[in-house]
Each structure stands twice: as structure tokens, then as C-alpha cells.
């Protein structure tokens, strides 16, 4: 039985006993287990149907805990972490032995973040272990931004869903690390690359997604995929009536099935509504979803990255 509620004590007890709890964050809901308990972590992969080679992010409540799990300090990333944690930022750092290999899929670096959500931060500060948590969706599907989304897809597979309301940011965290003194962005996300550039002295490099990128084995090309066929909108093309449209700021005339991300063309609002929109379109009585890209600036870069993956080949 899966229950939804706001009971931190209950969530804590389940996690301490090696169970799974879905947690709210500002980005998307996570499917959490005690990161120091390999058996509990293994349950995450089972529940998500996720290939076990995909490493997980660990969530901590404060900066000060970082040294317990990583063998190197933030170094050049200190200022950025100071400024943006808690927030939609994940940092890759060399791991200590206390982090089991099942968490990092045997990689030398562990992904760490301090999420920005009151309920989850109080849960994290009440336990003495970090939480390993991927997004709480079945592998390859759209990430959940409400407790109900988690329930719809993982009921029976997660012990408790901590309901923290709808996620404010709506796309996953930006993942970064240092390589040869450059700041490398491994996944575009809820923290805009422009914000990183403004707050980093050196060079910022963006690793565009690729199925064969060895430093980020989990960043598969095909992801965030609705079950329906997804195509990119072409101006002047006429579409079947059984087509649904994902639009940035304005609907197109003549079609009944549409989802507009932000009527005021606000990219933050569009990001917050993106996954909800993809889910809504997937449930409409149509055969095809036609997407429109958004402006490639700020959070638009993370939105377009997710959209490209919905149409990528396997
Ligand atoms: O916003 C988020 O980051 C959400 C919330 C729940 O915190 N989590 C999330 O986790 O998006 P997930 O597992 O769906 O995506 C994490 C990505 C994966 O693509 C994974 O391959 C990559 O991070 N990753 C995790 N640990 C890594 C590591 N040690 N080295 C390289 N990539 C890593
Ligand atoms: Mg995910």
C-alpha cells in the first residue's frame, strides 16, 4: 500500500527501515532511499525498472555534511555552491568509500545536491544518512512534479509519498563538475548556464547530451518520453485532427488539443509546467504529439534539452 501525506516522522521511520519514500524537491519528485544502505538503494532500481548502470544523486541538508561523503572539497565550485545551494544544482565530486558503488555505478565521483524544499530539508536534517534519489518516474518516462504523478505511476512500489505540493522549478537540477580547471555542465537544468557563467572565473563548457558520453552514463539520449509518437512542429504543415500540440506561449488555431506552457512567455513558468504538459498531452485522445521548441536562452536551454530527448532515437 502506498500512502500520500506530510508526515516526516513516518517518512523517516520507513527510510531507517530500508524502505522507499518519494520526496518533494524544487525540481521534480525523487524516489529516495538511504544512500548508505545498498539493499535499500537496489530497491530504487527495481521500482523504477532502471538499468543498474545509471548512477544516483545523493541529497544532503547542508553544505557542512559534504566532507563526510566526498574526498575533495568544492574548490573552485565553492562560491557557486554557496550561492545556489539549496537549489537546482548538483555537483560531481570524488566519493569516499562510505558511498556504496551501487549509488555511483562504480564511478569515482558521486553526484551531490542540497535541494530547496522545506519538507525534504527537515526530513534530511532529522536523519543521519544522505538520500539517494533519482526522479520518481518509471525509467525513460516524464519526471513527476506532483505527489499525484508519483502515485499514478509508482503506487504499490513506493512505501510513502511525502506530499510537498507542485514542484516550483519543474525541470531537474543542473549537473556540474570540474575538468582541467574548467566548469563542465553535464546536464542542463533548473539553474541557468548564464548564472554559472556569471559566477565562475574560468571557462564554462557544456557537454551536450549523448548516449555514448562516458562521464555521464545515465544521460541517455532518449528520455522524458511520452508513450505517443512525438514530432517537431513545422510552420505551414497541416496536421490530423488527432494531434495534440505543446506550445510555448500561444495556441495555434483550428486544433482542439493543446497545452500552452506560459501565456506570458515566461521561461521559468514554462519549465515548471513542462512535464505536467507532456503528461496531459499523453492522456489526450490523440495519436501524435507535436512539440514546439522555446527560445534557447536561460531555462529555455534545459526545456529544449528535455524536448529534444522526447523525440530522440533510442
Ligand atoms: O533535480 C534532480 O536532479 C532530481 C531530484 C530528485 O533531485 N533528480 C534526478 O535524478 O534528476 P535522476 O537520477 O533522474 O538523474 C540524475 C542524472 C542521471 O542522468 C545520472 O546518470 C547522472 O545524474 N549522474 C548521477 N550520478 C552521477 C555520477 N556519479 N557521474 C555522472 N553522472 C551521474
Ligand atoms: Mg530522471
Amino acid at each position: 500500500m502506498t500512502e500520500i501525506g506530510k508526515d516526516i516522522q513516518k517518512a523517516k521511520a520507513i527510510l531507517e527501515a530500508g524502505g522507499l519514500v518519494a520526496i518533494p524537491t524544487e525540481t521534480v519528485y525523487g524516489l529516495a532511499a538511504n544512500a548508505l544502505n545498498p539493499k535499500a538503494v537496489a530497491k530504487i532500481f527495481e521500482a523504477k525498472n532502471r538499468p543498474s548502470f545509471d548512477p544516483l544523486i545523493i541529497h544532503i541538508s547542508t553544505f557542512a555534511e559534504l566532507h563526510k561523503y566526498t574526498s575533495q572539497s568544492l574548490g573552485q565550485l565553492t562560491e557557486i555552491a554557496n550561492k545556489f545551494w539549496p537549489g537546482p544544482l548538483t555537483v560531481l565530486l570524488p566519493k569516499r568509500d562510505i558511498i556504496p558503488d551501487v549509488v555511483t555505478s562504480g564511478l569515482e565521483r558521486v553526484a551531490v545536491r542540497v535541494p530547496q524544499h522545506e519538507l525534504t530539508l527537515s526530513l534530511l536534517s532529522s536523519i543521519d544518512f544522505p538520500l539517494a534519489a533519482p526522479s520518481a518516474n518509471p525509467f525513460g518516462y516524464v519526471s513527476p512534479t506532483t505527489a499525484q504523478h508519483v502515485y499514478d505511476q509508482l503506487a504499490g512500489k513506493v512505501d510513502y509519498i511525502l506530499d510537498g505540493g507542485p514542484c516550483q522549478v519543474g525541470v531537474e537540477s543542473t549537473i556540474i563538475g570540474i575538468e582541467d580547471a574548467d566548469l563542465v555542465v553535464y546536464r542542463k537544468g533548473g539553474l541557468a548556464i548564464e548564472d554559472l557563467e556569471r559566477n565562475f572565473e574560468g571557462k564554462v563548457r557544456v557537454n551536450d547530451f549523448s548516449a555514448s558520453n562516458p562521464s555521464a552514463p545515465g544521460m541517455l539520449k532518449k528520455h522524458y518520453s511520452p508513450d505517443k509518437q512525438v514530432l517537431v512542429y513545422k510552420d505551414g504543415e497541416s496536421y490530423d485532427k488527432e494531434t495534440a500540440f505543446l506550445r510555448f506561449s500561444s495556441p495555434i488555431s483550428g486544433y482542439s488539443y493543446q497545452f500552452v506552457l506560459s501565456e506570458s512567455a515566461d521561461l521559468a513558468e514554462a519549465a515548471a509546467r513542462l512535464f505536467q504538459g507532456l503528461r496531459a498531452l499523453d492522456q489526450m485522445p490523440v495519436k501524435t504529439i507535436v512539440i514546439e521548441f522555446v527560445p534557447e536562452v536561460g531555462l529555455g536551454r534545459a526545456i529544449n534539452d528535455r524536448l529534444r530527448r522526447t523525440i530522440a532515437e533510442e
Side-chain angles (χ1 to χ4, degrees):
M1 266 296 286
T2 299
E3 217 188 300
I4 304 185
K6 297 181 193 298
D7 188 345
I8 289 177
Q9 290 311 316
K10 186 158 188 168
K12 177 182 177 195
I14 292 168
L15 291 164
E16 283 174 347
L20 298 185
V21 173
I23 54 166
T25 81
E26 79 284 33
T27 59
V28 299
Y29 275 72
L31 181 60
N34 175 352
L36 307 183
N37 175 344
K39 264 196 181 152
V41 173
K43 289 185 192 164
I44 295 176
F45 294 107
E46 209 182 308
K48 271 189 70 111
N49 233 334
R50 180 182 229 193
S52 53
F53 54 76
D54 202 357
L56 305 174
I57 296 173
I58 66 166
H59 299 70
I60 57 177
S61 64
T62 67
F63 221 123
E65 286 170 69
L66 198 61
H67 74 276
K68 294 198 240 168
Y69 311 115
T70 65
S71 62
Q72 237 173 56
S73 62
L74 285 160
Q76 290 162 283
L77 296 178
T78 308
E79 221 180 288
I80 284 183
N82 254 322
K83 191 165 175 116
F84 297 110
W85 271 350
L89 174 72
T90 295
V91 173
L92 296 183
L93 286 169
K95 80 174 192 78
R96 285 195 191 277
D97 290 343
I98 185 174
I99 298 294
D101 284 334
V102 62
V103 171
T104 59
S105 305
L107 296 172
E108 280 166 23
R109 289 190 295 182
V110 60
V112 188
R113 87 178 190 100
V114 182
Q116 170 76 284
H117 195 290
E118 208 185 326
L119 267 187
T120 291
L121 285 174
S122 6
L123 172 64
L124 283 168
S125 52
S126 77
I127 53 182
D128 56 5
F129 47 84
L131 290 176
S135 52
N137 50 283
F139 181 68
Y141 196 71
V142 178
S143 302
T145 50
T146 66
Q148 189 62 41
H149 290 165
V150 180
Y151 188 87
D152 291 345
Q153 294 187 311
L154 294 179
K157 298 186 172 166
V158 46
D159 301 300
Y160 190 66
I161 301 172
L162 195 57
D163 186 354
C167 301
Q168 299 299 310
V169 174
V171 290
E172 295 86 347
S173 59
T174 301
I175 304 180
I176 64 171
I178 292 286
E179 281 182 35
D180 305 324
D182 293 348
L183 187 158
V184 180
V185 178
Y186 299 99
R187 177 175 71 181
K188 294 172 196 165
L191 180 63
I193 292 169
E194 289 87 337
D195 282 325
L196 295 170
E197 287 167 341
R198 270 194 290 275
N199 289 280
F200 189 74
E201 294 279 316
K203 195 169 150 203
V204 174
R205 278 193 271 145
V206 180
N207 258 20
D208 269 311
F209 75 83
S210 133
S212 56
N213 176 358
S215 62
M219 294 172 196
L220 301 173
K221 236 174 146 174
K222 174 116 181 147
H223 210 70
Y224 308 103
S225 238
D227 294 327
K228 302 212 158 114
Q229 180 191 30
V230 185
L231 302 174
V232 179
Y233 178 72
K234 285 204 196 83
D235 229 1
E237 181 115 348
S238 68
Y239 294 93
D240 200 89
K241 289 290 164 204
E242 285 178 25
T243 304
F245 297 85
L246 181 75
R247 303 287 300 168
F248 174 41
S249 57
S250 60
I252 45 172
S253 58
Y255 296 92
S256 345
Y257 301 110
Q258 309 204 28
F259 189 97
V260 176
L261 290 171
S262 170
E263 280 173 11
S264 56
D266 172 14
L267 288 167
E269 184 187 25
R273 284 166 49 81
L274 175 66
F275 291 139
Q276 178 196 339
L278 287 171
R279 267 166 209 274
L281 295 170
D282 212 12
Q283 278 155 21
M284 291 175 184
V286 297
K287 293 204 182 100
T288 307
I289 296 171
V290 172
I291 57 162
E292 173 189 45
F293 290 109
V294 305
E296 184 75 17
V297 290
L299 291 186
R301 294 166 80 170
I303 296 173
N304 287 339
D305 167 86
R306 305 301 184 270
L307 289 175
R308 276 181 213 112
R309 294 193 215 204
T310 68
I311 53 172
E313 302 291 318
E314 300 280 338

